[in-house]
Amino acid sequence: MANYIDLETLKYLLNEVHNLDEVLKQDRFADHDAESLDLFLDSVKEFSDRELFPYFKEMDEKPAYHDEGTVMVHEQVDVMMKKGGEMGLIAGPFDYDDGGMQLPLMIQTASTYIQETANNHLPGYTGLTYGAAELIVHFANKELNEAYVPKMLSGEWGGTMCLTEPQAGSSLSDVVTKATPTDDGYYKITGQKIFISGGDHQYAENIVHLVLARIEGAPAGTKGISLFIVPKNRPTEDGLIFNDVTTVADFQKMGQRGYCTTHLGFGDADDCRGWLVGEPHQGLKYMFLMMNGARIAVGRGAAAISMAAYQASLQYAKERPQGRKLTSSGKKNLDEGQTLIINHPDVRRMLLLQKVIAEGSLSLVLLASKYYDLKYTASDPAEKEKYGLLLELVIPMVKTYPSEKGAEAVSNGLQVLGGYGFCTDFILQQYYRDIRIFPIYEGTTGIQSQDLLGRKLLMENGKALELLTTEVMQTIKEASKFDDLRSYANILGEKLQLAQKVIGFLVGFAKKGDYERFLSDATPFMEFFSNITIGWLWLDMATHAKNALVIGNNAHSQDFYESKIHAMKFYFKYEIPKTTSLAEILTNEEVLTIAGEKEILN
Amino acid sequence: MANYIDLETLKYLLNEVHNLDEVLKQDRFADHDAESLDLFLDSVKEFSDRELFPYFKEMDEKPAYHDEGTVMVHEQVDVMMKKGGEMGLIAGPFDYDDGGMQLPLMIQTASTYIQETANNHLPGYTGLTYGAAELIVHFANKELNEAYVPKMLSGEWGGTMCLTEPQAGSSLSDVVTKATPTDDGYYKITGQKIFISGGDHQYAENIVHLVLARIEGAPAGTKGISLFIVPKNRPTEDGLIFNDVTTVADFQKMGQRGYCTTHLGFGDADDCRGWLVGEPHQGLKYMFLMMNGARIAVGRGAAAISMAAYQASLQYAKERPQGRKLTSSGKKNLDEGQTLIINHPDVRRMLLLQKVIAEGSLSLVLLASKYYDLKYTASDPAEKEKYGLLLELVIPMVKTYPSEKGAEAVSNGLQVLGGYGFCTDFILQQYYRDIRIFPIYEGTTGIQSQDLLGRKLLMENGKALELLTTEVMQTIKEASKFDDLRSYANILGEKLQLAQKVIGFLVGFAKKGDYERFLSDATPFMEFFSNITIGWLWLDMATHAKNALVIGNNAHSQDFYESKIHAMKFYFKYEIPKTTSLAEILTNEEVLTIAGEKEILN
């Protein structure tokens, strides 16, 4: 079997860098210890080897399709849901009371990450079911909980999130799906939803849609949106009855072709019933409380694809002989045999670039999961607030960095294979296609960037930023203890100051009331700020590695630890300097992207 | 019909910026004038509207495939070859004596570019036939010319270039296809070639392969490679006889699926005849003399795709309402209707980024074509040398910039459409897949970058670089005459100095005999140097526009000229600053990508 994951690095990040033990000290996780969780992750890897990776290519080649009102998906979807349910891959983080295992999100993230490196199509089905069940558990009444959650956590029923509508796209203010109250405690739902991942398939006895809709007479905009449970088939005393949710189409896509994306119609025959979750008009608030998890999940999926692509191109580079190393004269010595391409500096550069992006992304995703765990389990309110703020601040980066830079990483992986990378006989082209949706999923890069700059940095007078800065300073301090890391620590310190300067410049526009200008370069700002954030995480990774070498920790080999320090240096040579230019761009006074009176864009 | 090209910009670049008239003054082009060539380009656009664009999507959906020894392609391939032949799209630049029209390469480039914006699959078939015929005309004897060229220029027979072999990839030193001399004037050919574009199809009566092979006993390496004409069917007095060239397979690819990529076997039945072109062991030299044209062609194709993708996303952005403009408070005003997405600064940024890449690439491709024309037609030897050197220097950038940055541009185009960009109902995803081969074609980015830094910059003691610098200085001088362009001219001047500094630093390693280190960052150097080169071309474009506005030239509207100045400013705000970081990377002393004793890349 091909390598698709560096499990050792995942465990290093979990245990040594992000200190899972600290999370396990919380009462909620009292029954778990690092050792048993390690075995759990091994079993997930084994499951992925057996049930996920072997079907990955096939699911692309035989994509999901719409046939007479049903979406037909690969039969392995059934295995994923049922066996995944059995193994607790859906229920893992839920309370014992709800049928869960009270796993930390860090572990759920690591588990799903492993699955996604093997096959990024299948875990979408279980993942969305998990998310939909989470919404019900948190906000719906007991009756609804009992009716839906157990069947979802067992994988018998699927779940979805229905936000997007054809006329509104990312603009949720413009949602028009209608909910009309009845006297029988339910609402009649009518409307259309598009881009619904996992929205229908032939193996699900039922699919439970969590639908944003507007109760008649509700206020305009996002303040008038409510959340409903709208099952495909409604449970009654006589069993399941079709609930007038029709599958209009399955979008055919460039990638993730085994993960269906449906267009759903609600109430075409005026018989679609929905049950309100929580209070009226609070739907978007509920959805967004769950959105942090969804956005971590997107970043995690992209991080997984870049890891898998890196492993595939690394393996190729270690096996493929081609060309010769340059001699000092610049000529090639033809008497030598061909060298492996991993020995060409340009190939090595492309591999290291992938490595720093893939592992940097994973570190960020695990960090966010840790903040999530500590936010939800901390007993000290100050701690709770601290991790809540840190989580909010990193979320838009977690969604964006692995997606945007992951696409770049995968492209470099494809390039390592030359012409073969472009051919369907090799897997790189599939990763290249699959990962391209991630900068669009769950709020595009543009939207995440506005969230980062326009909301998160200003939140509570910049308190989240202060907290993050303190964390970074701590790493700088730790790294500075080692002679050979000090210069990198110094660079990171300078970049922190540069970030302050850039933020000060941009916030100036907000203070002057010029919000459009303030946010017009939010996307380059995202690139700038996440570059520094990943620089921090790499310095942290290298510092832990250095420490392990110094104290003689033999959890991993010396080469392993040295490779982390080497990769950090690569990041600081080839990636960190980009912030110089980005700062130059962001503090440039010229305004060129705000529409004027006259349209001169042609 | 959807917009797929900005024809006005193409003509502006040809006539006003790159001054086609100067080229037309050469004796060879005496029969042509700008007006008639303009009409010719209009007829190519009309042909593209009718015969190319309507089949573009279909060719992707029904890709070429291998069936019982033949590659089956879309029937429009037949139309392209035959009608293209009739219209002179293959023969255009050839001598009148050879059946050509003595068109400047600038016009052939513009003509093929138009076709490729409409459909980047079809013109590959005619384009390679053109290239193969060119090799025969330049280097083969009269008999071979008469036997092959007329049928190729008419489009009845196809042509290919056969370089790559399975065990050698980009390393042509390792070519092993064998040519055994016979007493009858031909050679027996045996071997395998892969990745042969247009290598076989059901509509070609014959396909003429130009094959690199090694005559028995030839020296090792590239100095022992000869060039052969190896037709699929050999012409005899009794007509065409099968020449033992078998089609082993058709590579299935992620993109350009309508443009077949074959695996060919020569001499499986020991009856494959090849005819030597020119002298023995000179094959690679011949091939590389033609390679400049091939590399311009790759850059042109990529430039065409980024143009088409830009047009498609621009059209979408002008028609799609979504969301609202921000008010000064940062809130949205829900009483307003939705705005068109082109009015969102982030969308506008993505569109402008595409514009500067697409048009900058086109300008570079036309510039190279102009240098080519002037090199081949200049009567003054000093002029000939000058344009020859300038051509050599820009070639690796012409191949690379449109390919690498074009892929980035298309990705931004896809992003403009959000989720729809990822769906096969929209064309952006096809452009995204198609363009990805361009950084691999005809020498990967890594190879082009080593060519630029390792050969072209050092050529004749840096004379090419001096000549290019003089050209750039001239533009800086012209731009500085205008108050509102002067600051950009100054920036470009500073970047020229920065380039000198970076080159000095890198060449230092070559002087010390450390070639591996010298070239290890060739790819970031390529990005650095072509960024400045495109900055020069944008300043040139803006200077011509400014001049037109000042003198009241009304060949184009005021808005048109202003849009060029605006795009230049965008390039100087968002792209040029990247050279600051790239210089930082390139002059960093740390060595991280050269393989050491111990392998720590995992």
Side-chain angles (χ1 to χ4, degrees), chain B residues 36-80:
Chain B
S36 64
L37 293 173
D38 195 70
L39 291 173
F40 171 68
L41 294 180
D42 287 341
S43 73
V44 172
K45 170 66 165 62
E46 202 185 292
F47 170 76
S48 303
D49 282 348
R50 201 176 57 243
E51 302 290 0
L52 305 184
F53 188 73
Y55 303 95
F56 178 51
K57 195 154 190 289
E58 201 173 290
M59 290 183 74
D60 176 61
E61 286 161 357
K62 299 176 188 161
Y65 64 97
H66 184 244
D67 185 40
E68 297 184 8
T70 303
V71 177
M72 308 300 288
V73 298
H74 192 285
E75 60 189 7
Q76 204 62 14
V77 172
D78 196 32
V79 175
M80 177 80 230

Side-chain angles (χ1 to χ4, degrees), chain A residues 161-270:
Chain A
M161 307 284 200
C162 297
L163 287 79
T164 307
E165 299 180 5
Q167 80 294 339
S170 300
S171 174
L172 294 175
S173 315
D174 296 296
V175 156
V176 296
T177 292
K178 212 166 70 182
T180 313
T182 69
D183 296 337
D184 301 312
Y186 62 83
Y187 289 73
K188 281 212 168 176
I189 307 291
T190 48
Q192 306 269 320
K193 294 284 180 179
I194 58 169
F195 297 144
I196 307 309
S197 298
D200 184 32
H201 62 82
Q202 78 272 34
Y203 298 110
E205 190 185 49
N206 201 5
I207 302 215
V208 184
H209 304 292
L210 277 288
V211 177
L212 291 183
R214 206 175 279 285
I215 298 173
E216 280 193 324
T222 52
K223 286 176 186 156
I225 295 176
S226 304
L227 182 65
F228 295 87
I229 294 176
V230 188
K232 178 176 180 178
N233 301 305
R234 55 189 186 239
T236 70
E237 283 171 12
D238 306 323
L240 292 173
I241 293 181
F242 179 61
N243 191 38
D244 195 18
V245 178
T246 48
T247 303
V248 181
D250 180 50
F251 288 92
Q252 292 301 297
K253 299 159 303 180
M254 172 172 75
Q256 285 210 323
R257 291 152 61 87
Y259 184 29
C260 66
T261 306
T262 60
H263 178 169
L264 300 176
F266 296 89
D268 283 2
D270 196 31

Side-chain angles (χ1 to χ4, degrees), chain A residues 166-171 173-174 194-195 220-221 251-256 310 314 318 320-330 334 338 342-343 345-346 348-349 351-352 355 359 411 414-415 418-420 422-425 429 432-434 436-437 439-440 444-446 450 488 495 513-517 519-521 523-524 559-560 562-563 566 569-570 573-574 577-578 580-581 584-585 588 590 592-595 598-602, chain B residues 6 166-171 173-174 194-195 220-221 251-256 310 314 318 320-330 334 338 342-343 345-346 348-349 351-352 355 411 414-415 418-420 422-425 429 432-434 436-437 439-440 444-446 450 488 495 513-517 519-521 523-524 559-560 562-564 566 569-570 573-574 577-578 580-581 584-585 588 590 592-595 598-602:
Chain A
Q167 80 294 339
S170 300
S171 174
S173 315
D174 296 296
I194 58 169
F195 297 144
F251 288 92
Q252 292 301 297
K253 299 159 303 180
M254 172 172 75
Q256 285 210 323
Y310 169 53
L314 180 62
K318 285 180 170 175
R320 168 76 179 176
Q322 194 181 299
R324 284 162 191 78
K325 282 178 77 80
L326 283 172
T327 61
S328 57
S329 66
L334 289 171
Q338 299 206 56
I342 195 173
N343 294 321
D346 196 50
R348 191 168 279 266
R349 185 188 56 77
L351 292 167
L352 279 161
K355 182 183 173 76
E359 297 181 11
S411 182
L414 189 154
Q415 189 77 11
Y420 290 117
F422 197 62
C423 292
T424 58
D425 278 350
Q429 51 78 34
Y432 187 75
R433 289 181 290 109
D434 284 349
R436 186 58 188 86
I437 188 60
I440 297 169
T444 61
T445 294
Q450 296 199 15
Y488 305 97
K495 294 301 177 184
D514 190 356
Y515 262 73
E516 195 168 31
R517 173 67 183 87
L519 294 179
S520 61
D521 282 334
T523 300
D559 282 2
F560 177 87
E562 280 174 5
S563 80
H566 190 85
K569 291 179 179 173
F570 182 91
K573 174 171 177 181
Y574 290 93
K578 292 179 182 172
T580 311
S581 299
E584 203 177 319
I585 292 167
N588 184 314
E590 205 160 17
L592 298 165
T593 56
I594 293 177
K598 204 163 63 170
E599 180 54 84
I600 53 165
L601 182 57
N602 56 24
Chain B
D6 173 1
Q167 79 294 341
S170 299
S171 174
S173 315
D174 297 296
I194 58 168
F195 297 145
F251 289 92
Q252 293 300 298
K253 299 160 303 181
M254 172 173 74
Q256 286 211 323
Y310 169 52
L314 179 62
K318 285 180 169 175
R320 168 77 179 176
Q322 194 180 300
R324 283 160 192 80
K325 280 177 80 79
L326 284 173
T327 61
S328 57
S329 67
L334 289 171
Q338 299 207 54
I342 194 173
N343 294 321
D346 195 50
R348 191 168 280 265
R349 185 189 56 77
L351 292 167
L352 279 160
K355 183 183 172 74
S411 183
L414 189 153
Q415 189 77 10
Y420 291 117
F422 196 63
C423 293
T424 58
D425 278 350
Q429 50 78 33
Y432 186 75
R433 290 181 289 111
D434 284 349
R436 186 59 188 84
I437 187 59
I440 297 169
T444 62
T445 294
Q450 296 199 14
Y488 305 97
K495 294 301 177 183
D514 190 355
Y515 263 73
E516 196 168 31
R517 174 65 183 89
L519 294 179
S520 62
D521 282 334
T523 300
D559 283 2
F560 177 88
E562 280 174 5
S563 79
K564 298 306 177 209
H566 190 84
K569 290 178 180 173
F570 182 91
K573 174 171 176 181
Y574 290 93
K578 294 180 181 170
T580 311
S581 300
E584 204 176 318
I585 292 167
N588 185 313
E590 205 161 17
L592 298 164
T593 55
I594 293 177
K598 200 163 64 169
E599 181 54 83
I600 53 166
L601 182 57
N602 55 23

Side-chain angles (χ1 to χ4, degrees), chain B residues 514-573:
Chain B
D514 190 355
Y515 263 73
E516 196 168 31
R517 174 65 183 89
F518 170 44
L519 294 179
S520 62
D521 282 334
T523 300
F525 177 79
M526 166 67 85
E527 194 182 341
F528 170 77
F529 198 70
S530 28
N531 182 312
I532 297 172
T533 303
I534 299 293
W536 162 47
L537 294 177
W538 266 111
L539 188 65
D540 190 37
M541 233 192 288
T543 306
H544 281 90
K546 184 72 198 175
N547 195 50
L549 286 169
V550 168
I551 66 171
N553 177 350
N554 55 12
H556 303 280
S557 70
Q558 195 170 329
D559 283 2
F560 177 88
Y561 288 123
E562 280 174 5
S563 79
K564 298 306 177 209
I565 297 169
H566 190 84
M568 177 278 289
K569 290 178 180 173
F570 182 91
Y571 190 90
F572 273 74
K573 174 171 176 181

